Amino acid sequence: MSYAAFYRRSIEAPEAFWAEQAKLIDWQIPPRQILDESRPPFVQWFAGGTTNLCHNAVDRHLAQRADQPALIAVSTETGTERTYSFRELHGEVQRVAAGLAALGVGKGDRVLIYMPMIPEAAFTMLACARLGAIHCVVFGGFASVSLASRIEDATPKVVVSADAGSRGGKVIAYKPLLDEAIRLSTHKPGAVLLFDRGLAPMGLVEGRDHLAAPFLEKHRDARVPCTWLDATDISYTIYTSGTTGRPKGVQRDVGGYAVALAASMKHIFDGRAGETYFSTSDIGWVVGHSYIVYGPLIAGMATLMYEGLPTQGLNRQPDGGIWWQLVEKYQVTVMFSAPTAVRVLKKQDPALLKKYDLSSLRALFLAGEPLDEPTARWISDGLGVPIIDNYWQTESGWPILTVANGVERTPSRFGSPGIPMYGYKVKILHESTGEELKGANEKGVVVIEGPTPPGFMQTVWKDDERFVNTYWKSVPGKLVYSTFDWGIRDEDGYYYILGRTDDVINVAGHRLGTREIEESISGHAKVAEVAVVGVADALKGQVAMAFVVPRDGAVLGDAQAALALEGEVMKQVADQLGALARPSRVHFVGVLPKTRSGKLLRRAIQAVCEGRDPGDLTTIEDPAALRQIRQLLGVQE
Ligand code: ATP
Ligand code: MG
């Protein structure tokens, strides 16, 4: 079938389409009603059906592939590598499930998971799914304040954590951060289960804290059956990255999510049972939920879980080829990463890409932020496989825009994440009139018309009102879901994301997307990374200001070279986009402020430039990056 026909059917006959997709997973009781949209914008998929995510990810495969690899855990931080078969994974998950049950966890209870990228984190997620408990995974890189706000919001019965994480060889003790977070939160979890990796000492709180090894030993050979859940029950909550403000607690269902992932593994990722999937994300992000843990396992694939930097070998020495070495060793067929990681690798010797046999690899998927053309070309030339940009959000749970090579081979276009995926009615609307922009290359807000497809968020956790008001009421007179991203569609239906709706600047009455200016600057050969923000200006309203990480670090300490490069960058923008878009200043920095998920924190840079308080910085990767900008601009902390 052509993709166009496949897509059309998903929109015109959603019930028939998704009833078909629902057959990709196991049901205890098949769904009674495929789609219930009687209370928009809320949608219920597969009502009356009962199933379980853990059953579909693990138990279901025991009959055919019990001894095939299911989880491959590689840590270049501890220099460890271990493979679990589906049978072993089944055992590990039941042990943790039995332990959680012994701590009183049952259906609907929340379990907050604050863990590094170790296999036990995946066991715990699957154990929650098995019991029908709602997991809330908090990225292990967050500190006490971010963690406390999530404990407060999720009110978990149990917290599962570990002694420490490690990043580039630097051990980060989690236990003190967790203790402090629990102290800050008014909600106190009844129990804390702690995996001890032997990286940092842990003080235990009597009666509350349990060391996992002795505690779970009692449940060594436990048999814990899957709890059959309604398709519409809650599987988990997860927070958005907090790039634009206070993170939102995204809530997801069970049945719709399982079907959405199974379908995406087949139609989009084209991953096949028995093969290996390698996503370099983290379980703390939605990509980690969908495409490290659940998606590949539901598809019967082995999933490679990686702890460490992309530039560090198993011997803990610098090695920019480690990911490619793993692709060769584990015969990875599908890989998923982010542009930010590729930009890191781009600074490495390109010969590293040629050192390994990468013939198993069929495609590299990249998501999370705009994929600029130079980065896309660099990795595309290096790997010689399709580089597939895909656009989505924590809210959607799976790609909104990309190409579905499992349905029909469709070429990707540099700069475009692709075309709408089946089930998604994607439209471009005029920002103020709400009118649909149907013409080619007309810029507007990217929105999704309901009913949203399976896998899409059900609501904001505990806050239906925030869900409706935040996402569905931003376009006047219309109940549509706003992505809060700008976009255009070309004459062939390919979409281009032009940045976030709050990343637009107004120079002397002209509206410019900071993203377009960044694209122009990143095309300069001497530029490694760039962020452009709009800064208030008495004369012009706003002016563009650029912060550039030069490819050659020497520019940072050489005023002459910096001045010359600033001139070149300004000229390039003026030549390509016009004089209005030319940044008023180009500042050179060693590192840009990003969220822990690798996204540019333009909102924080802009605040600093305007001498305002940058607001919630709990999700920032490196506070020193903002400090450097403050110093450059001579503004006070
Ligand atoms: P918050 O909503 O809390 O501000 P966030 O939007 O960064 O945080 P995520 O859900 O992790 O949280 O990110 C989704 C956003 O990332 C998209 O709305 C879009 O702006 C950007 N994005 C993701 N993938 C792509 C892509 N392939 N191309 C361009 N932008 C992308
Ligand atoms: Mg967002």
Side-chain angles (χ1 to χ4, degrees), residues 370-420:
L371 175 62
D372 59 282
E373 196 164 328
T375 302
R377 283 204 192 280
W378 178 82
I379 191 72
S380 172
D381 291 347
L383 291 179
V385 300
I387 305 302
I388 305 181
D389 189 358
N390 56 121
Y391 163 86
W392 46 299
Q393 305 182 310
T394 308
E395 292 87 343
S396 71
W398 60 285
I400 299 169
L401 299 171
T402 184
V403 291
N405 278 338
V407 180
E408 182 191 21
R409 294 256 148 229
T410 314
S412 292
R413 288 194 181 169
F414 281 119
S416 163
I419 55 181

Side-chain angles (χ1 to χ4, degrees), residues 229-309:
L229 303 169
D230 285 338
T232 54
D233 279 339
I234 306 169
S235 59
Y236 68 77
T237 66
I238 182 174
Y239 293 88
T240 58
S241 300
T243 307
T244 52
R246 185 162 65 96
K248 300 166 278 274
V250 167
Q251 174 185 315
R252 202 151 265 131
D253 70 0
V254 175
Y257 187 52
V259 171
L261 292 183
S264 70
M265 289 303 299
K266 182 171 180 215
H267 306 310
I268 298 174
F269 295 98
D270 191 18
R272 302 162 204 166
E275 299 179 346
T276 305
Y277 193 105
F278 177 17
S279 164
T280 69
S281 184
D282 188 284
I283 51 151
W285 313 127
V286 69
V287 177
H289 285 61
S290 294
Y291 300 112
I292 293 178
V293 180
Y294 293 113
L297 293 175
I298 287 174
M301 298 179 81
T303 182
L304 200 160
M305 202 172 161
Y306 180 80
E307 180 188 45
L309 303 177

Side-chain angles (χ1 to χ4, degrees), residues 9-10 12-23 34-35 45:
R9 191 166 132 82
S10 78
E12 287 169 4
E15 300 214 56
F17 179 89
W18 288 105
E20 188 67 32
Q21 304 307 319
K23 293 186 191 141
I34 300 300
L35 167 62
W45 285 100

